């Protein structure tokens, strides 16, 4: 089983990017041996009200067993609480908020309220942060509630990923590709070049993501 926790659908606004349709994503998943993808709506990253893209996302993934929606939630916009309820109703494995794109303080009051609401709903919150500022600044109790997507972590020759797996722990990392903004095979190659046991690789490719949902 291989689960991609960071895939995107919809057009990129600044230039033409191929592979942004559900059909193209399926083809890339088949090519890379990915069984399931958690998908976000790429255009809404750049909208003032990113939650307006959620209806499209639910429609695009509603009858697709391999694509799971990750709806956008902006805690500074009216109706964001209802968006969390809608996510649960649509079987979303998580919700997403990107404070840098939304003009929010990543550690501000709005993000703290959102994090608390997601915790109460037992719904993981996906966002882009600096690993070195978050993991190594967290208490042990906080760190066990965090998982890190490998898609933007350097592999060989620097091999930051190998270092992080050894210091942070294999159980804290999940498989992500960032496709179509990145080539999905890159994430596979990074794992292929590591000296991982079958159990460690299985944890990264699917087991840890499943654990996050059951946390």
């Amino acid at each position: 089983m291989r689960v991609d926790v960071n895939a995107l659908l919809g057009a990129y606004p600044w230039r033409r990017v191929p592979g942004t349709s559900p059909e193209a994503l399926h083809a890339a998943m088949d090519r890379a041996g990915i069984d399931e993808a958690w998908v976000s709506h790429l255009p809404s990253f750049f909208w003032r009200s990113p939650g307006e893209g959620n209806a499209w996302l639910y429609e695009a993934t509603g009858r697709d067993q391999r694509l799971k929606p990750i709806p956008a939630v902006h805690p500074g916009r009216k109706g964001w609480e209802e968006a969390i309820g809608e996510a649960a109703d649509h079987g979303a494995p998580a919700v997403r908020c990107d404070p840098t794109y939304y003009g929010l303080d990543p550690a501000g009051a709005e993000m703290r309220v959102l994090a608390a609401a997601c915790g109460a709903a037992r719904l993981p919150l996906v966002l882009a942060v600096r690993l070195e500022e978050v993991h190594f600044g967290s208490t042990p109790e906080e760190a066990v509630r965090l998982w890190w997507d490998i898609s933007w972590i350097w592999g060989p020759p620097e091999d930051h990923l190998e270092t992080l797996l050894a210091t942070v722990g294999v159980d804290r990392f999940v498989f992500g590709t960032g496709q179509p903004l990145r080539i999905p095979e890159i994430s596979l190659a990074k794992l292929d070049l590591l000296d991982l046991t079958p159990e460690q690789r299985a944890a990264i490719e699917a087991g840890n993501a499943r654990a996050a949902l059951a946390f």
Side-chain angles (χ1 to χ4, degrees), residues 17 29 32 44 84 93 98 138 140 153 181 189 202:
V17 173
M29 291 169 65
S44 64
I84 293 178
D98 291 276
S138 301
I153 301 174
L181 299 183

Side-chain angles (χ1 to χ4, degrees), residues 96-109:
R96 181 169 195 139
C97 179
D98 291 276
T100 301
Y101 285 101
Y102 300 172
L104 298 173
D105 179 356

Side-chain angles (χ1 to χ4, degrees), residues 24-197:
L25 179 58
H26 269 289
M29 291 169 65
D30 291 340
R31 190 179 70 240
I34 296 171
D35 301 284
E36 178 179 302
W38 299 1
V39 294
S40 302
H41 183 235
L42 178 56
S44 64
F45 281 49
F46 308 95
W47 294 355
R48 291 178 62 85
S49 298
E52 292 180 2
N54 292 342
W56 183 94
L57 184 64
Y58 290 140
E59 176 67 22
T61 60
R63 292 178 296 277
D64 194 321
Q65 295 299 312
R66 297 177 68 191
L67 303 183
K68 307 299 181 184
I70 305 292
V73 178
H74 189 320
R77 294 288 174 180
K78 182 179 180 180
W80 70 267
E81 298 96 335
E82 288 79 2
I84 293 178
E86 289 177 357
D89 292 341
H90 285 86
V95 297
R96 181 169 195 139
C97 179
D98 291 276
T100 301
Y101 285 101
Y102 300 172
L104 298 173
D105 179 356
E110 291 166 315
M111 290 300 298
R112 292 198 298 270
V113 171
L114 173 59
C118 289
R122 301 188 65 81
L123 197 62
L125 174 61
V126 176
L127 66 158
V129 296
R130 291 182 178 275
L131 186 150
E132 64 271 20
E133 294 178 4
V134 177
H135 176 81
F136 296 106
S138 301
T139 66
E141 293 78 13
E142 292 168 339
V144 298
R145 299 196 296 271
L146 301 174
W147 287 266
W148 304 96
D149 161 22
I150 69 169
S151 62
W152 292 95
I153 301 174
W154 285 99
E158 293 85 356
D159 231 337
H160 298 169
L161 179 57
E162 182 178 38
T163 300
L164 288 169
L165 292 176
T167 55
V168 176
V170 170
D171 59 336
R172 305 267 48 90
F173 290 87
V174 292
F175 182 81
T177 66
Q179 62 175 315
L181 299 183
R182 293 178 67 84
I183 300 171
E185 285 84 355
I186 291 175
S187 289
L188 293 175
K190 285 187 285 192
L191 295 181
D192 289 341
L193 293 169
L194 292 174
D195 185 19
L196 297 172
T197 67

